[in-house]
Amino acid sequence: MNRLPRPVKGALAERTWDAEVTRGWARLQIKRRVRGPRVLPVFVAASAFLLAAVVWAATRPADSAPGDGLMVSAPPAHAASCMPEPVRPELPATSVATVSYVSPSPAAQPQAVHARTALAPTRRQLPPAPACVTGPAEPDVVGELMESVDEAWKAKDAPRMEALLLDIARHHEDDPRCAQALFVLGRLQLEYRHDAAAAAKSFHRALELDPPAELVGPLWQAYELAHGGEHQ
Amino acid sequence: MRDSTARAVVVRLPAGEDTAALVLRARTGDRAAEGLLYRRHAPEMLAMVSRLVRSTTAAEDVVQDGFMTAFGRLGQLKAPEQFRGWLLSIVVSLVRKRLRRQRILQWVGLETLDDVPWSAAARAGSSVEARGELAVLDAVLKRLPTEHSLAWSLRYVEGERLEDVASAMGKSLSTTKRYIAAAEKKVRAHVALEDG
């Protein structure tokens, strides 16, 4: 008889989890940022505000005063036949003046619909939007620096490459290409200058900057290599 | 440049670094140490949780949440060298919640689609009988109460020590033994297993 071994996991296939581990670390960073102590209260406050706005919109009386800026359209003409005769309020004398500046309804419509339409506010014409004024396009400094790095690479000028990459790393951390620049810088430091500590710092900084998904794996690998060298 | 890349010396991986030392570094906010702790323990945790919840995606979610909780509470860990056991207790607690939620979903007819049955995850070259036994064991464990199933799985599927199972489940040793004995009785009635 075929007995299962103990522990039973011995009968189950083993697999590698490299992809999940790499992906997991990146997701962990995102989750931490989202659920972090600074972001969570903001998120809760925004949710509460949104909820309050939805509740207000749902409970607000539908027939608001004309001055509140919300438009209530008149019912279609065919609805008049199936609608009961509305109870018309006793309007004060000043209301006559109000009726004079609203659009008149077609004469063919029943009296009730005419009155309803007459009391509805007219749609105001908005002034035309001003033409969008755009200033001169901002220069792509990082792009130009990266091009210079490429030229330095072709000229095999490693010190210049390093200087340019350091410039990107120091002054353009907000740019999404900064992680890539740090990766190249780290490799230069590790492989050209044999400075494992500096390389580990560069790779670590790149990992902190939310690198693109395809760069996370190589960055980790490089970081571990450099980190090992640092402790040698 | 390319020549220097080719001649680059591949330095050794930092595998020998002590877990306790990494925990102490991580406590001070060292992200690199956290990363190394994660890479050291995540594969084992992922493998274990995927067997417990029978789903790879759920396992990823649980393990990420487990590490997030662990890194957030690292200051509460009294013995840094016991990081693995402490992490296991956090992960097991999350697995328990997940299993309970899965049961409720199944009860209302919303079974998770990415369920991976054990019979499908059997080792390559396993006999039909072995696959059948795994399928039966899977079904029996799913019918057991969550606590019993979890305790038995940690002990006899994962091979954890009894003390570690008790600690991970946050129960006393005697309660854990009782859970395992109750589950063992049901399992033995349906599945042929090696003697424990």
Side-chain angles (χ1 to χ4, degrees), chain A:
Chain A
M1 189 170 178
N2 239 330
R3 285 172 180 271
L4 287 177
R6 285 191 204 244
V8 178
K9 70 177 176 184
L12 297 168
E14 284 174 19
R15 51 164 291 194
T16 55
W17 295 90
D18 293 345
E20 285 83 359
V21 169
T22 307
R23 190 167 57 220
W25 179 248
R27 282 190 190 161
L28 189 62
Q29 303 307 319
I30 294 166
K31 280 186 181 181
R32 280 173 123 185
R33 209 168 300 156
V34 171
R35 299 182 198 172
R38 273 180 294 177
V39 178
L40 195 62
V42 174
F43 179 73
V44 170
S47 305
F49 179 76
L50 195 66
L51 185 67
V54 169
V55 169
W56 176 81
T59 55
R60 183 180 56 86
D63 51 344
S64 308
D68 68 357
L70 288 166
M71 307 298 290
V72 181
S73 58
H78 62 79
S81 57
C82 59
M83 285 173 74
E85 184 72 15
V87 179
R88 258 178 274 168
E90 289 292 323
L91 293 172
T94 51
S95 296
V96 177
T98 314
V99 175
S100 65
Y101 63 77
V102 297
S103 58
S105 58
Q109 283 187 341
Q111 187 66 26
V113 177
H114 174 77
R116 198 181 286 257
T117 316
L119 286 171
T122 50
R123 207 172 280 272
R124 270 177 288 172
Q125 291 291 319
L126 288 172
C132 185
V133 181
T134 53
E138 280 190 26
D140 181 12
V141 180
V142 179
E144 284 171 17
L145 282 169
M146 290 295 257
E147 273 177 29
S148 303
V149 170
D150 200 37
E151 282 164 17
W153 164 269
K154 281 171 191 161
K156 298 190 177 178
D157 186 355
R160 180 169 157 70
M161 267 182 85
E162 195 176 351
L164 289 163
L165 290 165
L166 273 171
D167 189 10
I168 297 173
R170 283 181 189 150
H171 305 297
H172 304 282
E173 276 204 338
D174 294 339
D175 194 280
R177 289 163 290 186
C178 188
Q180 198 182 354
L182 277 163
F183 177 55
V184 180
L185 175 65
R187 288 199 60 181
L188 261 181
Q189 289 163 333
L190 185 67
E191 294 165 10
Y192 190 80
R193 284 213 286 114
H194 303 290
D195 185 352
K201 267 186 195 169
S202 298
F203 293 137
H204 186 220
R205 189 76 200 107
L207 281 165
E208 283 180 335
L209 289 177
D210 253 354
E214 67 273 11
L215 200 62
V216 173
L219 262 173
W220 263 110
Q221 224 169 1
Y223 172 68
E224 287 193 339
L225 286 172
H227 192 71
E230 195 185 346
H231 288 276
Q232 257 184 350

